[in-house]
Amino acid sequence: MYIGLSSLRTRTHFVFPTLFPKPKSSIFSLLTSSTSSSMSYHKELAAAKKAASLAARLCQKVQKSLLQSDVQSKLDKSPVTVADYGSQAVVSFVLEQELSGDPFSMVAEEDSGDLRNDGAQDTLERIRVLVNDTIASENAYSVSPLSAEAVLAAIDNGRSEGGPVGQHWVLDPIDGTKGFVRGDQYAIALALLDQGRVVLGVLACPNLPLAPLGVQNSASQTGCLFSAVIGEGTFMESLDGSSPVKVNVNPTGNPEEASFFESYEAAHSSHDLSSSIANKLGVKAPPVRIDSQAKYGALSRGDGAIYLRFPHAGYREKIWDHAAGSIVVTEAGGIVSDAAGNPLDFSKGKYLDLYKGIVASNQKLMPSLLKAIQDSIDEKAASL
C-alpha cells in the first residue's frame, strides 16, 4: 500500500534554477555525501523508538483526561501541558538508561523553569506521578520511583545548545501542542545529530491513522511510529508494535495529482502564499491541514506530495520542529529544503537559518515547485 518506486531512493545531482538566492549547496549533493559515509545507529534507533513510544503512551493518557487546568502558559503564550514536561522527562530517562556510558547531550523545547516557581508544586507532582507510572508500565527498568527533583533534572537534560561537534539528541516532546489540546494530531519528534547532520529520526504520531489519510474509516487503527536512519530508508509501524513496513514518498510528477499539506493554524504558516503557489502549479486538490510533524510522516508514506510552511516575518524555526521529520521524508526518497532549494542546516544551534520557509516534496515536483514559490514570493512583494 505504501511501497513506491524504488528509483525514488536514488540520490542524483540536480542544479536548481539560478533565480533562487544563493543556494549554499545542492541538496542532492548533500544527500549523496551523507549516505556514502553512513554508519550503524541501530542501538540509538532502538533506544529512540522505545523512548518515543513510551512518551506517546504518557501523552495518550493525558489527552484522554485533558482539562483546562492542565494547560500552562509560557512567556510566548503557547500552551504547554503536563504532557510536554512528562514526555521530555520520559525520553530523557529512557535514552540515558538505554545508552548508559555514552556521552549524552539533548536539545529540547522545554526546561524546568516554570515548574520550579511557587505555585507549581501540584503540577510537578502530577508530572512526577505520570512519569513514574509510564516508566513502571514498561517493566524494563528496576529503578526506584523518580523524585520530583529527579524529574526536573531529566527535563533539564534538554538544555544543550547542539552545534556541529559531537552527537546531540533533538526533541520536541509534543510537537503540535494546540492539536494535542484540541484532541487532534500531534507528534513526539526525536532525532539524532552527529557532527551537525541528522542521522536518525523517529516520529510517534498517536492520532495518525495507519491507513492513508482520506481513505480510513471509523474502524481504522490509529497510532503510527515512523523511523529513519541515514542511508537505510524510512519505515512505519503501529505504536502497538506491528512489523515495520518500508515507505516511500508519492512518486507523481503531475502537479494536478499532488495534494499538499500545510499547518492547521494560520498563525503558523501563510495560507494565502500556499494557495498562490498551488494555483501556479495547477494543484487541484484542497490543502490538507493538520498539526505537527505528523505531516512529515504522512508525506513519507505518500498520503500527499507536497508540504509547504511559510512562517510570518520575524519567526525563527527551531531545529526540534523539523529534524526528525526531515530525515523521515528524505530517507523515503523525498527532498526537504528552504524556499530557495538550500538544504536545512541543523549544525548552528537551536535555530535554522532559512530563506522564507520550508518545502518538502519528491524529486520530480521540486524544480517546478521551487519556481512557483519564488514567483509567488515576488508577486506578493510587488503588491506591497
Side-chain angles (χ1 to χ4, degrees):
M1 183 181 300
Y2 300 110
I3 306 301
L5 300 178
S6 60
S7 60
L8 290 177
R9 299 281 298 119
T10 303
R11 310 305 198 202
T12 57
H13 291 271
F14 183 87
V15 179
F16 291 122
T18 57
L19 57 89
F20 305 117
K22 298 181 181 177
K24 299 169 189 173
S25 61
S26 164
I27 193 147
F28 292 91
S29 300
L30 183 68
L31 290 170
T32 303
S33 63
S34 296
T35 55
S36 65
S37 59
S38 65
M39 56 177 287
S40 173
Y41 295 96
H42 293 171
K43 178 178 70 171
E44 290 83 357
L45 176 63
K49 289 171 68 173
K50 187 172 187 177
S53 296
L54 269 181
R57 190 180 302 174
L58 180 149
C59 294
Q60 288 172 302
K61 182 176 182 179
V62 175
Q63 193 181 53
K64 287 178 181 178
S65 60
L66 185 64
L67 298 173
Q68 190 61 34
S69 60
D70 291 325
V71 180
Q72 305 297 301
S73 178
K74 292 190 296 189
L75 293 178
D76 65 0
K77 305 302 182 184
S78 65
V80 178
T81 65
V82 293
D84 268 302
Y85 297 112
S87 174
Q88 185 157 316
V90 166
V91 170
S92 172
F93 172 84
V94 172
L95 291 179
E96 283 204 297
Q97 289 289 315
E98 297 292 323
L99 305 172
S100 61
D102 294 345
F104 185 74
S105 172
M106 187 167 72
V107 185
E109 184 172 19
E110 307 301 342
D111 63 55
S112 70
D114 290 345
L115 296 176
R116 295 180 185 273
N117 293 335
D118 292 341
Q121 291 88 347
D122 289 345
T123 300
L124 177 56
E125 177 60 16
R126 289 197 61 194
I127 295 167
R128 188 191 70 81
V129 171
L130 278 167
V131 169
N132 282 310
D133 286 352
T134 303
I135 292 170
S137 71
E138 182 65 14
N139 295 320
Y141 303 111
S142 56
V143 295
S144 301
L146 300 181
S147 65
E149 189 57 41
V151 169
L152 293 171
I155 293 169
D156 283 338
N157 275 340
R159 285 182 167 179
S160 172
E161 294 294 322
V165 178
Q167 291 190 348
H168 308 281
W169 291 97
V170 180
L171 171 68
D172 194 333
I174 295 184
D175 184 44
T177 312
K178 290 184 178 180
F180 177 82
V181 171
R182 286 197 313 272
D184 292 335
Q185 297 298 332
Y186 66 99
I188 294 87
L190 180 62
L192 178 63
L193 298 183
D194 194 346
Q195 309 305 317
R197 299 183 308 166
V198 183
V199 296
L200 179 158
V202 171
L203 292 176
C205 307
N207 290 341
L208 189 68
L210 267 72
L213 294 174
V215 302
Q216 74 274 6
N217 54 50
S218 59
S220 296
Q221 182 181 358
T222 59
C224 299
L225 182 68
F226 297 90
S227 61
V229 172
I230 191 167
E232 298 185 10
T234 297
F235 294 83
M236 183 187 76
E237 60 196 273
S238 73
L239 275 173
D240 294 335
S242 64
S243 297
V245 176
K246 195 170 188 179
V247 296
N248 290 94
V249 295
N250 189 316
T252 185
N254 182 357
E256 291 188 3
E257 300 174 353
S259 61
F260 69 94
F261 295 103
E262 63 181 1
S263 298
Y264 182 92
E265 299 283 343
H268 293 169
S269 184
S270 173
H271 288 171
D272 289 345
L273 182 57
S274 295
S275 178
S276 172
I277 294 163
N279 288 336
K280 289 183 183 303
L281 273 176
V283 173
K284 302 297 184 183
V288 179
R289 292 173 178 165
I290 61 176
D291 300 282
S292 83
Q293 289 180 69
K295 291 185 288 292
Y296 281 116
L299 189 72
S300 76
R301 70 184 188 187
D303 288 7
I306 298 169
Y307 167 36
L308 302 174
R309 179 179 169 91
F310 296 99
H312 298 288
Y315 181 81
R316 297 184 70 191
E317 294 281 7
K318 290 90 170 177
I319 61 173
W320 52 72
D321 287 324
H322 301 283
S326 66
I327 191 170
V328 163
V329 168
T330 57
E331 283 298 316
I335 305 169
V336 183
S337 74
D338 72 6
N342 302 313
L344 305 187
D345 185 354
F346 293 92
S347 70
K348 296 183 177 180
K350 293 184 176 181
Y351 295 96
L352 291 169
D353 180 16
L354 298 171
Y355 173 71
K356 298 296 183 182
I358 291 178
V359 186
S361 189
N362 64 37
Q363 296 184 20
K364 293 178 182 178
L365 288 173
M366 188 61 92
S368 57
L369 175 58
L370 289 173
K371 185 178 187 307
I373 289 169
Q374 191 61 47
D375 288 346
S376 295
I377 290 172
D378 291 344
E379 188 176 276
K380 183 177 181 180
S383 67
L384 298 178

